[in-house]
Amino acid sequence: MLRLLGGSICQCIVLLLLVAGYSGTHALTASQTAARSWMKGFAKSGPEFHWPTQQLMRGITYVGQAERLRSVVRKLVEGKEALNMVALGGSITYGVGVKNQTEAFPDLLKDWMRKAFPGPEHEMHNGAVRGTTSTYMALCLELHLPPGDLDIVLIEYAINDTPRPSPSMAPGSRRAALERLLRKVLNAPGQPAIIMVNMLAIHRDMEMGYWVNAERDFQEFSTYYGLPTVSFKAAAYHEMKSGDVTGSNVSSFFGPKTAGSAS
């Protein structure tokens, strides 16, 4: 099950990068010919999307202006510098439930980037800590960041943070810790692009209802701070609830060890 979660959310993130690239091709410093060539060759070098594109697009719940994410796409297109990426979150990001941590979704994303854009060795540092919330990471962020300028920071706390809706986003509210974390990351060296990765606690959320996690409050921060966001729940909840998971096997690109289904 966690292999399905990881592989599928990676496909949503990859598609998000593609959307950001298309929306920002005019801003790429590489030649327009090189940019168009990358877009056309994306399907060949990137993963094969086993979920229908329409379903994956549902999983992109916010794009925004994505200036920082376009800077990342620019670096990928130019191929001169390696990306320095970090993943922050709880057990799913850490890789609990998969055979080893290299099969956690952050490493799957790194493997795709290395395959799709050979040359620079793009790096992904997994700074997730099992069983923690954004409160912990807001206090201890510096302990979980690698040295140097950062390009992308993935943040996944929609499951571990309290699902109760916050009556206020004011300082002292139950969402204040997440906002402190976001503001710290936005001002980290390199001014990285944040991608909010909202996952789904399947056994809990599928039984208790669509709303039972912190994602709805997190979306307020995504729109306020302009943070591109992907959601496994938005992409797959209705299909999984109805038992229609046809095509839910993750891409063969991610390798036989990480292929799985919802069953």
Side-chain angles (χ1 to χ4, degrees):
M1 181 64 73
L2 289 177
R3 295 195 296 269
L4 167 66
L5 284 169
S8 301
I9 206 66
C10 274
Q11 293 182 64
C12 288
I13 294 172
V14 168
L15 192 57
L16 175 62
L17 289 172
L18 180 59
V19 169
Y22 266 120
S23 65
T25 50
H26 65 282
L28 294 174
T29 57
S31 70
Q32 289 300 303
T33 300
R36 285 194 296 269
S37 176
W38 176 70
M39 297 301 175
K40 291 179 180 178
F42 184 86
K44 296 180 181 178
S45 58
E48 176 188 352
F49 296 138
H50 280 203
W51 279 358
T53 302
Q54 182 180 10
Q55 184 176 352
L56 290 171
M57 287 296 291
R58 291 205 314 263
I60 301 175
T61 51
Y62 189 70
V63 178
Q65 295 182 357
E67 295 95 339
R68 294 189 182 190
L69 199 56
R70 280 200 294 273
S71 295
V72 173
V73 174
R74 183 184 306 120
K75 290 180 73 170
L76 286 171
V77 170
E78 293 175 346
K80 297 177 182 179
E81 301 178 70
L83 298 187
N84 189 19
M85 301 174 287
V86 185
L88 306 174
S91 299
I92 289 178
T93 301
Y94 181 84
V96 171
V98 295
K99 290 182 179 179
N100 58 68
Q101 199 175 15
T102 62
E103 294 181 359
F105 81 84
D107 278 277
L108 299 182
L109 182 62
K110 175 200 68 180
D111 292 343
W112 167 76
M113 286 186 172
R114 288 184 175 183
K115 181 177 180 180
F117 301 95
E121 286 290 296
H122 305 300
E123 295 294 339
M124 175 69 76
H125 175 78
N126 195 327
V129 180
R130 294 175 290 179
T132 59
T133 66
S134 61
T135 300
Y136 165 81
M137 194 57 68
L139 294 171
C140 303
L141 176 64
E142 291 75 13
L143 300 177
H144 299 277
L145 297 181
D149 288 350
L150 304 175
D151 294 291
I152 292 178
V153 179
L154 308 174
I155 295 181
E156 176 267 313
Y157 285 107
I159 294 175
N160 286 10
D161 278 18
T162 177
R164 290 176 295 174
S166 177
S168 170
M169 294 296 184
S173 76
R174 61 177 62 104
R175 299 302 182 209
L178 176 69
E179 185 168 26
R180 285 196 297 270
L181 174 61
L182 295 176
R183 292 173 70 91
K184 282 186 175 183
V185 172
L186 286 170
N187 289 289
Q191 294 190 315
I194 292 177
I195 298 178
M196 297 293 288
V197 182
N198 294 328
M199 300 299 282
L200 181 72
I202 292 177
H203 296 296
R204 180 193 74 186
D205 298 353
M206 296 299 294
E207 292 176 3
M208 298 184 67
Y210 187 80
W211 58 273
V212 187
N213 66 23
E215 182 173 331
R216 62 196 172 284
D217 278 4
F218 283 17
Q219 195 73 7
E220 297 294 327
F221 291 115
S222 294
T223 57
Y224 184 82
Y225 288 102
L227 309 177
T229 302
V230 295
S231 166
F232 186 89
K233 180 172 74 171
Y237 179 88
H238 294 294
E239 285 79 5
M240 298 184 75
K241 190 71 173 178
S242 67
D244 180 14
V245 291
T246 303
S248 290
N249 289 335
V250 299
S251 166
S252 58
F253 166 81
F254 294 118
K257 290 185 179 179
T258 58
S261 69
S263 58

